[in-house]
């Protein structure tokens, strides 16, 4: 069995509340197992440029309740090149880093698998507000993000009610409507538009008109950023702004537009995120010390487990109908059936939540 001297930890891609709790769990669990942990600064660029700090018990003290990431995050195109990758591998060798835990989203996991196949044992841990990774039921940061959206929607509801206005609110989530959908239901939105399912604008307008007749005052519509497009000159067209104008014109109700943007990424992580982060961080160290690599830590029906990273990335492409020729060749029939089941589970879950909006929003 390989002896591990040091384990490197990095956070990459968009930051997410709870990343610090993962870092803390990794550092503490590694120490308990007699292994040193080092923090790589600024995602994969820190690995290329040898930027790191020791992660001692004290370095990770008092961070569990903090949003953001003490290791900072970055998007690093150089890491996608063979030259950048080789520099990262050199850094590991020069600094006796025998394994890496990469905390982030699907892009981060693509980098992690590239490292793993070049001989650096690497484990991925989810850290993205989007909850857009098909192989896991949950990604660290999702709960905090949803709670932040609910908090802001509640505030908008107050002022909409006072002024008898409608507010269309755009929320993050990339191509995934999960934040919009769940937060929209929890905040009592009248309609939620997400990329995964067709949105019936006329039904929304009719619902708003009917509510106006009943003298309903405040109205909230939630829109996922994944519905934004670009015009022929590359300028962004915000779907929420299109809805705002349409609602105002067709219902006569004064309608405002708000874009929550990066507000949704910050803040104190919730219990759910801190707990899952701690469980996933511990699991990552367990996997490394068992000699495993090229896995991502997932939550599956309430249990912490792991999946092959390439399996997870392929399941994502399957879910997004972006499979390329040969993608499934390396997988067994059972693996492909499992991917299909994961996609189906996710589609069903989203459809059921979407139907709830239509059942209870009046
Ligand atoms: P996220 O992890 O949140 O999905 P990104 O997609 O921006 O965020 O990816 C984070 C980083 O992961 C990128 O900046 C890059 O350094 C690395 N990465 C992404 N895709 C690849 C790839 N195909 N090969 C190697 N590294 C990658
Ligand atoms: O993946 C997390 C996320 O916040 C997405 O919801 C959003 O589309 C994207 O990152 C924004 O990225 P940036 O921080 O580079 O603007």
């Amino acid at each position: 069995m390989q002896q591990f001297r040091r384990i490197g930890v990095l956070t990459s891609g968009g930051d997410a509340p709870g990343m610090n709790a993962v870092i803390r769990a990794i550092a503490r669990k590694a120490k308990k197992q007699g292994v040193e942990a080092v923090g790589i600064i600024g995602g994969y660029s820190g690995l290329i440029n040898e930027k790191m700090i020791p992660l001692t018990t004290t370095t990770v003290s008092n961070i569990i309740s903090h949003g953001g990431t003490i290791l900072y995050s970055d998007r690093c195109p150089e890491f996608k090149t063979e030259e950048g990758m080789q520099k990262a591998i050199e850094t590991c060798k020069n600094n006796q880093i025998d394994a890496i835990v990469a905390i982030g989203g699907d892009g981060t996991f693509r980098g992690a698998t590239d490292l793993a196949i070049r001989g650096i044992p690497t484990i991925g841990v989810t850290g993205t507000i989007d909850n857009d990774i098909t192989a896991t039921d949950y990604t660290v940061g999702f709960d905090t993000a949803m709670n932040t959206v609910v908090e802001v929607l509640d505030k908008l509801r107050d002022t909409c009610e006072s002024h008898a206005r409608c507010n269309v609110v755009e929320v993050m989530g990339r191509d995934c409507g999960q934040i919009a959908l769940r937060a929209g239901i929890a905040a009592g939105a009248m309609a939620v538009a997400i990329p995964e399912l067709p949105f019936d604008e006329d039904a929304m307008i009719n619902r708003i008109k009917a509510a106006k007749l009943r003298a309903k005052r405040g109205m909230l519509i939630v829109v996922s950023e994944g519905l934004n497009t670009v015009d022929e000159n590359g300028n962004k067209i915000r779907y929420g702004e299109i809805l705002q104008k349409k609602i105002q014109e067709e219902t006569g109700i004064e309608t405002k537009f708000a874009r929550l943007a990066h507000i949704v990424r910050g803040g104190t992580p919730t219990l759910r995120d801190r707990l899952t982060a701690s469980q996933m961080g511990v699991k990552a160290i367990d996997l490394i010390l068992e000699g495993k690599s090229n896995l991502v830590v997932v939550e599956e029906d309430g249990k912490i487990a792991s999946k092959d990273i390439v399996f997870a990335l392929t399941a994502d492409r399957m879910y997004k109908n972006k499979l390329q020729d040969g993608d499934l060749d390396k997988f067994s029939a059972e693996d492909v059936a499992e991917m299909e089941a994961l996609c189906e589970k996710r589609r069903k879950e989203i459809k059921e939540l979407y139907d709830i909006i239509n059942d209870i929003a009046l």
Side-chain angles (χ1 to χ4, degrees):
M1 184 69 101
Q2 183 185 349
Q3 288 298 308
F4 288 92
R5 295 161 295 181
R6 285 173 149 187
I7 296 174
V9 186
L10 59 87
T11 48
S12 155
D15 65 347
M19 279 182 160
N20 282 328
V22 184
I23 296 165
R24 173 180 178 271
I26 287 168
R28 296 265 168 97
K29 177 71 178 178
K31 184 175 165 54
K32 181 128 193 279
Q33 303 299 105
V35 182
E36 211 180 307
V38 285
I40 318 289
I41 300 296
Y44 290 121
S45 62
L47 206 52
I48 290 174
N49 301 311
E50 288 202 59
K51 287 202 182 136
M52 52 195 78
I53 52 161
L55 283 182
T56 62
T57 310
T58 41
T59 331
V60 297
S61 275
N62 196 27
I63 64 168
I64 197 165
S65 58
H66 294 188
T69 158
I70 60 157
L71 297 177
Y72 311 139
S73 194
D74 197 9
R75 294 201 159 99
C76 173
E78 196 186 349
F79 193 68
K80 295 185 189 174
T81 65
E82 193 53 42
E83 202 191 342
M85 187 65 60
Q86 288 309 324
K87 281 194 209 161
I89 290 168
E90 279 306 303
T91 299
C92 293
K93 292 197 173 136
N94 294 342
N95 293 276
Q96 291 85 46
I97 296 172
D98 297 317
I100 294 284
V101 181
I103 309 165
D106 57 345
T108 300
F109 300 152
R110 277 193 287 277
T113 195
D114 284 354
L115 267 182
I117 58 178
R118 285 169 180 78
I120 307 289
T122 305
I123 301 290
V125 174
T126 68
T128 168
I129 60 166
D130 302 336
N131 201 24
D132 61 347
I133 297 170
T134 312
T136 181
D137 294 340
Y138 190 79
T139 60
V140 169
F142 181 49
D143 189 58
T144 309
M146 287 188 296
N147 276 288
T148 301
V149 174
V150 169
E151 192 184 328
V152 178
L153 290 174
D154 287 349
K155 290 185 198 306
L156 288 170
R157 172 183 282 276
D158 289 345
T159 170
C160 282
E161 191 70 19
S162 306
H163 291 268
R165 282 178 182 152
C166 177
N167 215 314
V168 180
V169 183
E170 180 197 296
V171 301
M172 274 191 173
R174 212 179 280 273
D175 298 322
C176 179
Q178 295 241 26
I179 297 175
L181 191 52
R182 290 165 191 259
I185 293 172
M190 289 188 70
V192 179
I194 58 171
E196 289 89 339
L197 289 165
F199 182 64
D200 188 339
E201 291 183 10
D202 292 336
M204 174 196 68
I205 294 289
N206 289 338
R207 195 179 291 163
I208 292 173
K209 282 181 180 164
K212 187 181 175 188
L213 286 175
R214 294 195 314 270
K216 184 173 170 65
R217 294 177 61 84
M219 306 193 198
L220 294 171
I221 308 293
V222 180
V223 176
S224 169
E225 67 167 351
L227 287 166
N228 294 339
T229 49
V230 283
D231 67 15
E232 60 278 11
N233 301 316
N235 302 313
K236 188 162 256 178
I237 302 173
R238 298 199 177 279
Y239 185 58
E241 287 183 317
I242 293 174
L243 284 188
Q244 173 206 8
K245 289 191 187 82
K246 187 176 170 98
I247 294 167
Q248 181 140 327
E249 275 165 24
E250 294 189 21
T251 69
I253 294 172
E254 189 184 357
T255 304
K256 303 283 180 188
F257 172 73
R259 181 173 164 250
L260 304 193
H262 294 81
I263 289 170
V264 177
R265 283 238 298 264
T268 303
T270 59
L271 177 149
R272 168 68 151 119
D273 278 326
R274 298 182 203 191
L275 179 61
T276 309
S278 302
Q279 291 173 302
M280 288 187 167
V282 165
K283 180 74 177 179
I285 295 298
D286 285 343
L287 291 169
I288 286 173
L289 298 184
E290 284 164 20
K292 307 266 174 58
S293 176
N294 214 3
L295 299 177
V296 55
V297 179
V298 298
E299 186 183 294
E300 206 172 33
D301 300 325
K303 296 204 173 59
I304 302 300
S306 62
K307 291 258 186 278
D308 180 87
I309 293 186
V310 183
F311 172 99
L313 294 172
T314 310
D316 270 345
R317 285 201 291 280
M318 180 184 273
Y319 181 73
K320 293 172 189 158
N321 292 320
K322 287 186 178 165
L323 280 176
Q324 290 154 8
D325 284 349
D327 259 357
L328 297 177
D329 291 355
K330 48 189 159 309
F331 295 102
S332 66
E334 290 77 30
D335 283 342
V336 174
E338 189 185 341
M339 283 179 206
E340 283 165 350
L342 285 168
C343 295
E344 189 45 36
K345 177 178 171 186
R346 192 163 267 257
R347 288 198 184 98
K348 189 164 171 270
E349 191 179 79
I350 290 178
K351 176 76 172 62
E352 280 171 7
L353 289 169
Y354 197 65
D355 287 346
I356 286 179
I357 285 277
N358 293 319
D359 284 344
I360 65 175
L362 283 176

